[in-house]
Amino acid sequence: MKGEAEKLIQAREQFVAQWGALGTQWGINRTMAQIHALLMTVPAPMSTDEVMEALEISRGNAHTNLKELIAWGLIRSVVKKGERREYFEAEKDVWEIFTTVAKERKRREIEPAIAVLHQCAEESKEMSTEEGKVFHEQMRQLEEFVGFASTMADKIASMKHGFAIQLAAKLLK
């Protein structure tokens, strides 16, 4: 049994490290992703102190990132009867994690980008120089494409997991 426990610890540490590296690709910092990975792979909610010990991070770092994960909707605070400490647990459903990250990234990244593209297109709409017309057309096309991609991502994220997988399989044939 001891060998199995050690293997589990090693596997979890490897996953936490890799998830941390991947986190930077979805727009969150490494520590935030590592905390998410840890909470995703443990059977019971963890306190801030337990997270700090497991990841060897400071209280401030743990606290800041736990609050940010709550803001993203990837973890939630859990109250344990008779306990004064706050505990945290992660969403474990993979499709739910994907849709949550997609929605947050859209809100934080895509919507501001669309707003800038729209503003640039509006400000250049009446330009009469060749350079101004080219700029306007590029902004308009980018706004249209990013808006379309955003709408498609919303549609996919709102689908049930099984249906989305079936649709993807058909598209990839």
Side-chain angles (χ1 to χ4, degrees):
M1 204 58 180
K2 186 178 180 187
E4 186 176 315
E6 288 174 8
K7 283 182 180 179
L8 176 59
I9 289 168
Q10 278 185 319
R12 182 174 288 126
E13 286 175 354
Q14 184 178 8
F15 172 71
V16 166
Q18 185 60 42
W19 199 253
L22 286 173
T24 60
Q25 301 303 309
W26 9 295
I28 65 173
N29 72 58
R30 182 180 305 270
T31 303
M32 189 171 149
Q34 288 174 332
I35 292 170
H36 180 242
L38 175 66
L39 292 173
M40 239 190 333
T41 61
V42 295
M46 295 178 77
S47 68
T48 303
D49 291 338
E50 291 168 329
V51 169
M52 289 167 44
E53 183 180 331
L55 297 177
E56 299 176 357
I57 59 175
S58 70
R59 179 171 303 283
N61 196 2
H63 180 74
T64 300
N65 284 295
L66 285 163
K67 294 303 174 199
E68 189 64 16
L69 282 162
I70 288 172
W72 272 71
L74 291 170
I75 69 169
R76 59 196 152 269
S77 179
V78 177
V79 177
K80 286 188 175 184
K81 190 175 179 178
E83 289 277 346
R84 294 183 71 197
R85 288 190 287 179
E86 190 173 21
Y87 288 82
F88 304 92
E89 67 182 1
E91 174 60 56
K92 296 184 190 246
D93 180 276
V94 176
W95 187 251
E96 202 53 46
I97 293 166
F98 165 75
T99 58
T100 299
V101 169
K103 286 175 191 171
E104 256 322 283
R105 289 203 63 190
K106 178 183 179 190
R107 184 179 72 78
R108 292 171 184 247
E109 299 167 24
I110 304 301
E111 288 173 0
I114 291 172
V116 168
L117 291 168
H118 179 75
Q119 180 182 353
C120 290
E122 284 298 309
E123 289 174 1
S124 62
K125 184 169 44 175
E126 303 298 325
M127 292 184 176
S128 58
T129 65
E130 184 62 29
E131 188 176 3
K133 289 177 181 180
V134 168
F135 178 82
H136 170 73
E137 186 58 23
Q138 187 67 46
M139 294 302 102
R140 193 193 62 70
Q141 286 180 16
L142 283 168
E143 178 187 9
E144 184 180 302
F145 177 78
V146 174
F148 171 75
S150 178
T151 300
M152 292 306 296
D154 288 345
K155 296 230 183 270
I156 292 167
S158 69
M159 292 177 183
K160 296 284 185 219
H161 175 254
F163 183 73
I165 297 296
Q166 289 173 351
L167 179 62
K170 286 180 184 176
L171 291 172
L172 295 173
K173 282 185 181 179

